[in-house]
Amino acid sequence: WPLWVRFRVAASALLCLCKLACEQAIPRLSPYLNLRAKPIMMPSMTNDSQNCLIYIVDDDEGVRDSLSWLLEGKGYRTQCFSSAENFLDGFDPHRLACLITDIRMAGASGLQLQDRLLEMGAPLPVAFITGHGDVPLAVSTMKKGAMDFIQKPFEEKALVDLVEKMRVQASQSFAAKQSQSSRQALLSKLTTRESQVVERIVAGRLNKQIADDLDISIKTVEAHRANIMEKLGAHTVADLLKIVLGKTQ
């Protein structure tokens, strides 16, 4: 056959395969997504949107697939887990992320997963998937700090809006945690005596008062202050206070 004929035959076969795949996928996803909802435009993806990982934890494979399919279609990155236990085994507390989980699951429930994350001090925002009868239970999760909850079947826009709100909060919490870690790393460079001097500088004590408090000479206080400023990378007392108190400009 001529080349153009072979090309058209191959293109037609590929089109048929794509159509068949869509016909098989839509019935599987339709119980979980309101596919009659008006399509929405894809949000403009920032670096944080692409870097923020959306964890999906649900023991229902269809729910996991539908959530992942929808969110990845909007430019988000997802990672799915079939149980709370599997999620905790693969969870990285040092990365920018959000969590969507069902309240009721085989094994550990979503509530137990939330409690475990609170014990760990994990900063990632959490949203719960609920059935109609689980609304009072979902409200109790929000009292513990959950971002929100969505009911099945969830609409596309409501889900994407919630995920974007979670991403913004995750970025803020992640930045604050990184800033705190950096601050703690700087302060750990100080000796015990330098830490005592810093505490008094923050309290507004003068060099002479600090010398009297610690029973050392004023020159020794000045030497400690110079070392402190150098170790913390501070140029002024205002810079020093921002570092010690954890304030940003």
Side-chain angles (χ1 to χ4, degrees):
W1 289 352
L3 181 60
W4 67 271
V5 173
R6 285 182 288 174
F7 177 79
R8 290 192 61 178
V9 170
S12 299
L14 180 60
L15 183 61
C16 290
L17 288 174
C18 290
K19 183 178 179 181
L20 180 60
C22 289
E23 290 174 349
Q24 292 176 345
I26 294 300
R28 184 180 183 186
L29 300 177
S30 58
Y32 309 105
L33 292 175
N34 184 352
L35 297 177
R36 294 175 299 176
K38 184 179 178 181
I40 61 175
M41 297 298 292
M42 180 183 294
S44 58
M45 291 290 105
T46 63
N47 288 336
D48 282 345
S49 300
Q50 295 167 337
N51 292 335
C52 183
L53 182 62
I54 312 300
Y55 290 118
I56 300 170
V57 181
D58 199 299
D59 57 356
D60 187 323
E61 184 181 3
V63 173
R64 296 196 305 271
D65 287 347
S66 62
L67 285 170
S68 180
W69 175 75
L70 174 58
L71 293 176
E72 289 186 358
K74 300 301 176 184
Y76 296 98
R77 296 177 58 245
T78 67
Q79 186 174 357
C80 298
F81 297 90
S82 60
S83 69
E85 293 84 357
N86 288 342
F87 165 74
L88 290 172
D89 287 340
F91 172 54
D92 180 2
H94 302 295
R95 74 167 302 153
L96 179 63
C98 307
L99 170 63
I100 300 176
T101 180
D102 200 347
I103 285 186
R104 300 183 185 276
M105 295 184 290
S109 68
L111 292 174
Q112 291 172 317
L113 175 55
Q114 183 187 28
D115 289 340
R116 182 72 184 96
L117 291 172
L118 289 173
E119 292 172 4
M120 295 169 61
L124 77 168
V126 180
F128 285 90
I129 304 169
T130 70
H132 177 70
D134 289 330
V135 172
L137 198 59
V139 172
S140 70
T141 68
M142 296 187 66
K143 293 179 180 179
K144 292 184 178 181
M147 189 83 176
D148 208 338
F149 63 92
I150 51 176
Q151 289 182 262
K152 304 172 187 175
F154 32 81
E155 291 192 358
E156 180 181 342
K157 187 178 188 307
L159 175 64
V160 174
D161 287 348
L162 173 56
V163 170
E164 183 60 19
K165 185 168 66 172
M166 292 171 67
R167 183 200 63 76
V168 172
Q169 179 174 312
S171 298
Q172 294 171 347
S173 300
F174 189 73
K177 191 174 182 65
Q178 284 189 315
S179 177
Q180 181 183 13
S181 298
S182 298
R183 184 175 69 89
Q184 291 174 342
L186 285 174
L187 295 176
S188 68
K189 297 178 180 180
L190 303 180
T191 65
T192 301
R193 179 64 82 187
E194 288 168 349
S195 295
Q196 293 171 343
V197 173
V198 165
E199 290 174 2
R200 286 159 176 79
I201 293 174
V202 172
R205 304 284 284 173
L206 302 176
N207 284 356
K208 185 178 184 306
Q209 295 171 316
I210 295 174
D212 292 340
D213 291 343
L214 301 178
D215 194 23
I216 56 179
S217 68
I218 295 178
K219 287 187 176 182
T220 302
V221 173
E222 292 173 346
H224 283 317
R225 289 185 69 137
N227 289 336
I228 290 167
M229 301 292 276
E230 182 180 354
K231 288 182 178 180
L232 299 185
H235 301 290
T236 65
V237 174
D239 291 339
L240 176 65
L241 292 177
K242 289 176 182 177
I243 294 170
V244 174
L245 299 178
K247 294 183 178 180
T248 58
Q249 296 183 1

